[in-house]
Structure formats: structure tokens, C-alpha cells
């Protein structure tokens, strides 16, 4: 691995503290990932990315900045990447998934804030993540209260733009979200100095759609009821990295992986023994390097075959209409696609329960784990309707709440082990 310390210093990072993360990550990755058996060969790409996760992509982003391109950091799948790409900008995900960043977040946020928010703020204020240093502008959104208030704090430190997401899905909300996309496009044009034309936006729509289609192919291979060609732990990593990678490369690598998974399905090459129970995980997103739950499930006799979460199906399902001739039509098409995302911040939100029941069938799941990040009131509350609907449909469900800390791992292992045994 190249020595990245100079680059991190120039980014104003606290390099000494960051060394602690650099020392812990390979161990965690080795324990969770490299200990798996019979992984697809294509995962070598993602292993390589993680081996230098704060080096390779940050260096690429810095090169792009030297060429005058702007980097936009986002925290939610509602922010339309297409707008940024059409203005020759680059998008990088910023959600924090490590306990390492939580204490710095707790210096300014209440402890009773969700770990994703605390880690994201801590990564910026503690100066221990290059992506948070590189982004020229952060783009937030009005989804949950924790994020909204955290954006005010982050906004004191870095240029911050907030998109006002409607919380219902009426016709007027679609129009309102379209207006928000138009306003965001104007801001992006000003910030990058580049004009968004219908041609450039159509190109961007196709690029991001291709990434979605490639991710969908990887997930499609996981639907095979008789074979599990990739572990859920690996599939989660693929989705997590998709938030950071160049979209064209992401599509290319996912398509290659999907080719291999389809071949594995044809040949009956499985990561797990025949009869291994198939689990779907639903709930709050799992930002990198949050691999805790998947690792516990997959070392407790079951396999994760689907994630109904923003680091899962919500990220790639539904495409934006391509080939539209005017910006007005394209902005509306973007609004329609993004408003199909069934985040728990909407009320009412029956679409999410419908998605979960549909996905449970499509992926032939034996049971569902409904996971909530501690202090996420939205998904915690929605868990009531989700779990009731699953029980009514006769699908076993286990509701759990956790955070990034490993303190509850043994307790989770006991509960998940018992759940898997019950499925048997
Ligand atoms: S579209 S799920 S990425 S808001 S930060 S809501 S866990 S308390 S992340 Fe999300 Fe967009 Fe919705 Fe998806 Fe809860 Fe934590 Fe808030 Fe969170």
C-alpha cells in the first residue's frame, strides 16, 4: 500500500489519530471478510479497494479537483447524483459507519443521537476521514431530525446545501421535490461553473441507471432459491463501496461480478451448504465499515440473501426515464424515481411494507431480521408495522436494535442463533 500520510497531512487530517483507524481496519476486514470460504474471485477488486480505502479513491478525487472538478459529499440516497454528474462534478458518500468516529461526534451531539449521525459528524470534526476533508460541498436533506440538526453543526465548518425533502407522497409532493431538484441544479451550476444541458443530463441519467442495473444484476443472482453464489457480507461491501466509487467503474466491476455469480448459479457453486437458512435484513442503512450484523448472521448458520435498506435494494431499484428532450421533463422524471424510495421518514409509508413482503418472496427468504440503529426513531417506530405485516404473512421476523459498538455482539449472537435454530 502506498504511503498516504503526506496526502492526509495536506488534507489537514489528524494523521496520528487516523493511524488508529488504519491499524484497526485491516484486522476487522481480515476477521470478517478474508476468513470467508469460497468467495467469488471478482471480490478481489473490492478487497483491493478496502486495502487502501482512504488512499486510492481520495487520490483520484484530488486529481479531479486539480482539473477543476468539484466534489459533492452526500448522506442520503435522495440526493440525485445525476445533477452533479451532469455538471461534471463528482459525488461521494459521507455516511460514517465506524464506532471509531462516534466519540468525536458525541463532543457536539447528544449521546442519544443515532450512531450514523454521530460518526458522520465525528469523522469531519475529528479530521480522521479524507472523504470528509476532500468534499468541496456537503449536500444534506431534511429526512430525520438527527441529520437536520447535525447539518447545522457541519455547516459551520464546510459549505453545506440542504434539500428540503417532502415527507408525504401526494402529487403536490412530487412537484415540490421536482422544484427542489431544480433549485439544487441551479446551485450545482453556480458552484461548478458548468451549465446543465438536456444532453448532459441524459448522459448522466444513463450513467447512473447503468450503475443501478449492474447492482441489480448482482442482487438478481442472489434470488436463486437453490444456490447462494455470494455471501451477504460480500454483497453488502459491494453496495457500500458503490457510494464512493466512480459510477462507470462501479457498473463495470458489478457486471463482471454478476457474470461470475450467474455462472456459479449455473454450476451450483455456493458459499453456503445446501439448506442454509436464507435471511433478509431490513431497516436502517449500514454505512461502511459496519459489517457487524451480517458477520454475526453468517457465522451463526444462516446466509443473508437480501438487504431492504439504503445500502441494499433502495439504492438501485427503479430507474430514471431516459431519452427525455427537455430539462423540465428530466427533472420531473428524477423526482418520480427518487420519490419511489420508501424511507421511513415518509408518512404514511405503506410502500416499504409492500417492498419487504415482495422482496421476501423474490429472494425466497426463510426469515427476516428487522434492524434498527439505536436512537433512530423513524425505523424503530415503523418496525411495528413491518413486523406485524411479516407475522401476518407467516414470515418469521426478529426485531433487533444495535449500534456500532461491539459490546452487544455476544448477546446478538445468542438471539440470532436462537432465531436461526427456530427457522430450522
Ligand atoms: S433514505 S434511510 S439514507 S434518510 S441518520 S434516518 S438511521 S436516525 S439514514 Fe437514511 Fe436517506 Fe432514509 Fe435512506 Fe435513522 Fe440515523 Fe436518521 Fe438514518
Amino acid at each position: 500500500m502506498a504511503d498516504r500520510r503526506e496526502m492526509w497531512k495536506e488534507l489537514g487530517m489528524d494523521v496520528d489519530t487516523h493511524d488508529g483507524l488504519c491499524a484497526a481496519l485491516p484486522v476487522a476486514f481480515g476477521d470478517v471478510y478474508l476468513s470467508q470460504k469460497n468467495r467469488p474471485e471478482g471480490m478481489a477488486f473490492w478487497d483491493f479497494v478496502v486495502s487502501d480505502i482512504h488512499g486510492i479513491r481520495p487520490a483520484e478525487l484530488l486529481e479531479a479537483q486539480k482539473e477543476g472538478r468539484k466534489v459533492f459529499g452526500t448522506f442520503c440516497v435522495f440526493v440525485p447524483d445525476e445533477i452533479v454528474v451532469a455538471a461534471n462534478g463528482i459525488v461521494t458518500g459521507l455516511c460514517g459507519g465506524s464506532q471509531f468516529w462516534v466519540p468525536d461526534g458525541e463532543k457536539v451531539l447528544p449521546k442519544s443521537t443515532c450512531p450514523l449521525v454521530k460518526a458522520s459528524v465525528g469523522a469531519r470534526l475529528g479530521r480522521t476521514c479524507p472523504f470528509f476533508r476532500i468534499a468541496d460541498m456537503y449536500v444534506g436533506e431534511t429526512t430525520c431530525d438527527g441529520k437536520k440538526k447535525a447539518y447545522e453543526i457541519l455547516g459551520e465548518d464546510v459549505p453545506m446545501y440542504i434539500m428540503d425533502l417532502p415527507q408525504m407522497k401526494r402529487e403536490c409532493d412530487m412537484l415540490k421535490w421536482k422544484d427542489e431538484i431544480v433549485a439544487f441544479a441551479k446551485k450545482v451550476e453556480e458552484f461548478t461553473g458548468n451549465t446543465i444541458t438536456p444532453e448532459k443530463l441524459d448522459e448522466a441519467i444513463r450513467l447512473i441507471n447503468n450503475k443501478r442495473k449492474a447492482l441489480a444484476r448482482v442482487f438478481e443472482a442472489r434470488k436463486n432459491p437453490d444456490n447462494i453464489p455470494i455471501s451477504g457480507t460480500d454483497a453488502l461491501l459491494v453496495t457500500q463501496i458503490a457510494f464512493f466509487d466512480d459510477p462507470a467503474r462501479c457498473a463495470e466491476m458489478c457486471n463482471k461480478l454478476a457474470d461470475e455469480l450467474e455462472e456459479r448459479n449455473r454450476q451450483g457453486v455456493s458459499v453456503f451448504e445446501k439448506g442454509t437458512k436464507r435471511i433478509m435484513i431490513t431497516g436502517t442503512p449500514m454505512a461502511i465499515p459496519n459489517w457487524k450484523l451480517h458477520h454475526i448472521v453468517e457465522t451463526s448458520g444462516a446466509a443473508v440473501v437480501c438487504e431492504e435498506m439504503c445500502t441494499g435494494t433502495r439504492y438501485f431499484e427503479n430507474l430514471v426515464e431516459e431519452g427525455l428532450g427537455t430539462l423540465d421533463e428530466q427533472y420531473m422524471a428524477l423526482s418520480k424515481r427518487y420519490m419511489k424510495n420508501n424511507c421511513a421518514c415518509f408518512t404514511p409509508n405503506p410502500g416499504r411494507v409492500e417492498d419487504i413482503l415482495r422482496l421476501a418472496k423474490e429472494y425466497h427468504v426463510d426469515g427476516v431480521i428487522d434492524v434498527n440503529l439505536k436512537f433512530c426513531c423513524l425505523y424503530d417506530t415503523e418496525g411495528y408495522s413491518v413486523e406485524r405485516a411479516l407475522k401476518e404473512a407467516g414470515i418469521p421476523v426478529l426485531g433487533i436494535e444495535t449500534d456500532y459498538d461491539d459490546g452487544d455482539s455476544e448477546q446478538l449472537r445468542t438471539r440470532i442463533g436462537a432465531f436461526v435454530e427456530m427457522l430450522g
Side-chain angles (χ1 to χ4, degrees):
M1 186 173 98
D3 186 3
R4 307 289 190 183
R5 289 177 68 89
E6 269 317 302
M7 176 178 85
W8 295 330
K9 270 186 206 154
E10 279 170 27
L11 283 170
M13 287 173 60
D14 176 348
V15 177
D16 292 337
T17 306
H18 181 248
D19 282 348
L21 184 59
C22 293
L25 194 65
V27 179
F29 190 72
D31 287 350
V32 175
Y33 279 89
L34 306 181
S35 61
Q36 297 180 98
K37 301 263 182 301
N38 200 17
R39 299 171 73 207
E41 283 176 15
M43 285 311 297
F45 167 74
W46 284 272
D47 292 351
F48 169 68
V49 172
V50 177
S51 73
D52 193 8
I53 195 157
H54 281 179
I56 301 171
R57 187 65 178 148
E60 284 181 357
L61 295 177
L62 289 169
E63 274 308 305
Q65 281 176 325
K66 278 188 205 146
E67 290 162 14
R69 298 178 72 187
K70 298 285 185 207
V71 178
F72 294 75
T74 62
F75 300 85
C76 176
V77 298
F78 270 101
V79 176
D81 292 359
E82 292 87 342
I83 298 295
V84 173
V85 172
N88 200 28
I90 303 176
V91 182
T92 185
L94 286 184
C95 291
S98 170
Q99 177 64 23
F100 183 85
W101 292 310
V102 167
D104 277 329
E106 286 179 344
K107 287 180 187 161
V108 293
L109 295 169
K111 280 203 163 45
S112 57
T113 304
C114 120
L116 192 148
V117 174
K118 287 190 288 198
S120 302
V121 170
R124 171 71 202 187
L125 301 186
R127 298 182 292 116
T128 45
C129 176
F131 293 99
F132 279 83
R133 306 300 302 166
I134 291 170
D136 298 292
M137 175 180 277
Y138 290 6
V139 187
E141 75 310 312
T142 53
T143 44
C144 71
D145 290 351
K147 279 184 173 179
K148 279 190 286 195
K149 301 316 281 181
Y151 294 147
E152 293 174 16
I153 297 173
L154 288 171
E156 292 175 1
D157 205 38
V158 69
M160 179 101 222
Y161 182 83
I162 309 280
M163 297 185 76
D164 186 9
L165 181 73
Q167 313 275 280
M168 296 178 77
K169 291 193 178 179
R170 302 158 300 185
E171 192 56 33
C172 60
D173 298 309
M174 301 287 168
L175 294 170
K176 160 92 172 69
W177 187 236
K178 181 200 159 198
D179 287 347
E180 278 298 309
I181 293 173
V182 172
F184 178 52
K186 197 162 171 283
K187 182 76 188 175
V188 170
E189 286 185 318
E190 277 166 19
F191 198 68
T192 58
N194 298 325
T195 306
I196 296 174
T197 62
E199 293 72 30
K200 284 185 188 160
L201 188 50
D202 191 51
E203 218 177 284
I205 287 171
R206 287 172 197 269
L207 178 75
I208 304 301
N209 273 349
N210 285 344
K211 166 169 145 174
R212 292 189 183 110
K213 285 181 208 167
L215 282 161
R217 274 190 68 204
V218 171
F219 272 62
E220 194 62 35
R222 303 171 76 195
K223 290 181 182 173
N224 187 329
D226 304 315
N227 197 57
I228 303 175
I230 183 169
S231 69
T233 312
D234 274 335
L236 175 66
L237 182 64
V238 170
T239 319
Q240 289 173 331
I241 297 289
F243 284 79
F244 296 86
D245 202 0
D246 170 72
R249 180 174 50 208
C250 173
E252 185 195 333
M253 299 317 294
C254 287
N255 275 321
K256 269 193 197 156
L257 178 66
D259 289 343
E260 185 184 350
L261 301 186
E262 288 162 11
E263 185 55 31
R264 284 185 147 218
N265 278 341
R266 276 190 290 274
Q267 309 259 336
V269 179
S270 182
V271 180
F272 296 91
E273 279 173 26
K274 232 181 173 30
T276 300
K277 294 297 165 194
R278 302 168 65 91
I279 303 287
M280 174 164 80
I281 300 189
T282 174
T284 44
M286 295 176 176
I288 196 164
N290 179 9
W291 308 309
K292 177 174 158 181
L293 191 61
H294 278 61
H295 179 59
I296 293 176
V297 172
E298 296 199 323
T299 50
S300 299
V304 178
V305 293
C306 179
E307 297 81 21
E308 186 283 325
M309 47 183 50
C310 289
T311 42
T313 54
R314 278 185 242 140
Y315 189 45
F316 63 79
E317 283 201 328
N318 304 307
L319 300 177
V320 182
E321 190 176 346
E322 299 173 2
L324 295 170
T326 67
L327 285 174
D328 195 60
E329 289 171 317
Q330 290 168 320
Y331 292 141
M332 195 61 217
L334 285 165
S335 174
K336 281 187 186 156
R337 187 271 160 193
Y338 280 88
M339 288 292 275
K340 283 186 191 149
N341 181 2
N342 294 315
C343 174
C345 66
F346 286 93
T347 183
N349 191 33
R352 179 154 170 256
V353 171
E354 288 161 19
D355 283 347
I356 291 169
L357 295 176
R358 169 179 59 82
L359 292 166
K361 271 199 195 137
E362 285 179 8
Y363 287 80
H364 306 278
V365 309
D366 296 300
V368 174
I369 296 181
D370 180 29
V371 63
N372 189 56
L373 274 177
K374 222 171 247 178
F375 306 119
C376 177
C377 175
L378 293 171
Y379 281 85
D380 196 9
T381 309
E382 199 161 278
Y384 170 73
S385 337
V386 167
E387 290 169 32
R388 183 182 56 191
L390 283 165
K391 278 177 197 151
E392 281 171 5
I395 302 168
V397 54
L398 172 70
I400 60 169
E401 185 165 73
T402 185
D403 56 17
Y404 293 166
D405 192 62
D406 277 332
D408 62 353
S409 290
E410 281 318 305
Q411 195 196 358
L412 286 177
R413 190 171 285 285
T414 308
R415 290 187 62 204
I416 288 168
F419 180 63
V420 173
E421 210 167 298
M422 184 271 289
L423 295 177

